[in-house]
Amino acid sequence: MNVIQISVFLENRAGQLSNITKVLSENNIDLRAINIAETQDYGVLRIIPADAQKASAVLLENGFIMAMTTVIAVAVPDRPGGLNSLLEALAEAEIGIEYMYSVFSSKNGESIMVLQVGEAEKVSALLSEKGFKVSSIEEIK
């Protein structure tokens, strides 16, 4: 159960982010997670929308440069050491993390972490085998 993330490339100037959220809002697209990475000249906005297909179509129609990527959303206990248990499992399997961020909310005493790794299906299966709950987009709210 992997999740589709949309990465939008932005000029590093005021108003760029609000242009995107306005377009998404006007099209009734809800966001489950958001992350921004930036350099001096440009930024990369990573979002997990409730409906990735609709969001990507809307963004492309409005001239945004974007890409879709499969990521893993995995629940970790919302307590000290909860994240570490996930990271140790990945380290033991010698799986590197390209980047990671958290989802807006947590539920059932768990937080959701979004991971970009190579071979997402393989890593999802490994994490499930190790007792981690890999979440679908429907479970991220």
Side-chain angles (χ1 to χ4, degrees), residues 37-86:
E38 54 88 24
T39 67
Q40 187 173 355
D41 298 322
Y42 68 93
V44 178
L45 170 68
R46 294 182 177 111
I47 58 172
I48 297 179
D51 185 340
Q53 298 303 323
K54 181 178 177 183
S56 65
V58 166
L59 291 169
L60 288 171
E61 286 170 9
N62 284 274
F64 293 101
I65 299 169
M66 50 131 300
M68 295 173 72
T69 308
T70 299
V71 294
I72 299 170
V74 59
V76 296
D78 190 7
R79 60 170 168 69
L83 176 60
N84 186 61
S85 63
L86 170 64

Side-chain angles (χ1 to χ4, degrees), residues 7 19 24 27 42 48 52-54 68-69 80 87 93-94 98 100 103 105 107-108 113 116 118 123 131:
S7 298
N19 291 340
L24 295 173
N27 287 276
Y42 68 93
I48 297 179
Q53 298 303 323
K54 181 178 177 183
M68 295 173 72
T69 308
L87 298 178
E94 297 183 359
E98 294 177 29
M100 178 177 69
V103 174
S105 65
K107 58 183 181 177
N108 302 327
M113 299 304 296
Q116 172 60 35
V123 175

